[in-house]
Amino acid sequence: PMAAGSLTDRIGRILAQPVSQAWGQPIIVDNRGGANGNLGMDVCARSGSDGYTICMPDGNIMTLNPYAYVKLTYEPLDFVPIIHIAELEQGIVVQAAMPVNNMKELIDYARARPGQVTWGSAGNGSTMHLYLEWIQTKTGVRFNHIPYKSNPELLQAAINGDVPAMLNTPGATLPHARAGKLRVLAVANARRSTVFPDVPTFGEAGMPGVSITPWAGLFGPAGIPPAIVSRISRDLNTVIVKPDIREQISRQGIEVQPTTPAE
């Protein structure tokens, strides 16, 4: 339910090839982004229960969307959990041209320019948006929020100079940080990033409060037979712990944490 190039999309493509080889069947990664994941979840919910269509949402879609939208065309609790794949990292990111090097400087800079510093997100009600609202409530500083349709679109806007600040995944930010276009000020998780180990957490940066730990997992439409759920979960658990696969995922700033459907 996310756009091509998004973090869950990249996880899906990393896993699709080895799982396809194990099953002897092609796996098609079908991106249905939009409405903060709601469009793709609706497609998945209506796809039938034969196990041939499953979806990889993030925790934002499953736990926040029911409260951020007046009406959903799907019920998150109707989906059948298959496997929790990983926890995702999030970081406060600014353009390299911004004259700030830490969270305090960013807040002071925005406070001196109320409503003028743009904060981009991947959509209204997204984790990126809600974390901004928390920062504004915590500090009294007002940013100018601009929601984009997807994270790849948001990243491109930041690289182009249209978005000076945002919450984003360090893994997605890494190549642009190396190119000198973006800078990570702090990590919003409770622990430091595996991709940017020298970057402080939000609490270490002097602003203790809410930490966030987004996650990614696989779900199926209601009614998938338990035997199929067990088969998909078992085979994915086998693939995801292979050293080369784990390494590919970890390079995205993702901590692999596979589970059983019951877990």
Side-chain angles (χ1 to χ4, degrees), residues 120-176:
S121 79
N124 285 315
S126 65
T127 304
M128 300 172 184
H129 175 205
L130 296 181
Y131 206 72
L132 165 64
E133 296 298 338
W134 174 77
I135 289 176
Q136 293 184 140
T137 301
K138 184 79 172 178
T139 64
V141 172
R142 301 304 300 176
F143 288 84
N144 173 35
H145 174 233
I146 297 182
Y148 285 81
K149 294 180 180 178
S150 68
N151 194 47
E153 184 179 319
L154 169 63
L155 264 176
Q156 190 58 53
I159 295 167
N160 293 342
D162 299 326
V163 176
M166 61 181 174
L167 184 76
N168 217 302
T169 56
T173 306
L174 181 60
H176 310 296

Side-chain angles (χ1 to χ4, degrees), residues 69-257:
Y69 290 84
V70 174
K71 184 179 180 180
L72 296 179
T73 58
Y74 63 92
E75 168 53 59
L77 293 178
D78 285 345
F79 283 88
V80 178
I82 298 174
I83 179 176
H84 174 283
I85 295 173
E87 291 187 351
L88 318 178
E89 297 176 351
Q90 294 284 324
I92 309 296
V93 181
V94 297
Q95 292 174 356
M98 282 280 283
V100 299
N101 295 291
N102 54 56
M103 283 302 301
K104 183 180 183 303
E105 290 180 2
L106 173 61
I107 296 302
D108 290 345
Y109 183 85
R111 180 174 284 115
R113 300 162 180 80
Q116 298 178 36
V117 179
T118 296
W119 182 290
S121 79
N124 285 315
S126 65
T127 304
M128 300 172 184
H129 175 205
L130 296 181
Y131 206 72
L132 165 64
E133 296 298 338
W134 174 77
I135 289 176
Q136 293 184 140
T137 301
K138 184 79 172 178
T139 64
V141 172
R142 301 304 300 176
F143 288 84
N144 173 35
H145 174 233
I146 297 182
Y148 285 81
K149 294 180 180 178
S150 68
N151 194 47
E153 184 179 319
L154 169 63
L155 264 176
Q156 190 58 53
I159 295 167
N160 293 342
D162 299 326
V163 176
M166 61 181 174
L167 184 76
N168 217 302
T169 56
T173 306
L174 181 60
H176 310 296
R178 285 175 172 170
K181 296 180 178 180
L182 299 176
R183 183 162 59 251
V184 181
L185 300 184
V187 177
N189 300 64
R191 60 181 180 276
R192 290 199 176 194
S193 167
T194 56
V195 179
F196 292 95
D198 295 332
V199 174
T201 65
F202 206 71
E204 290 173 335
M207 300 188 67
V210 176
S211 65
I212 57 173
T213 307
W215 49 265
L218 274 176
F219 291 79
I224 291 185
I228 294 178
V229 172
S230 296
R231 169 72 186 275
I232 297 174
S233 178
R234 183 191 69 213
D235 292 348
L236 275 162
N237 266 285
T238 300
V239 165
I240 204 170
V241 297
K242 292 182 177 180
D244 59 326
I245 300 299
R246 182 185 288 270
E247 172 62 21
Q248 289 182 59
I249 296 176
S250 296
R251 284 201 301 265
Q252 307 293 324
I254 301 168
E255 183 179 354
V256 173
Q257 291 186 348

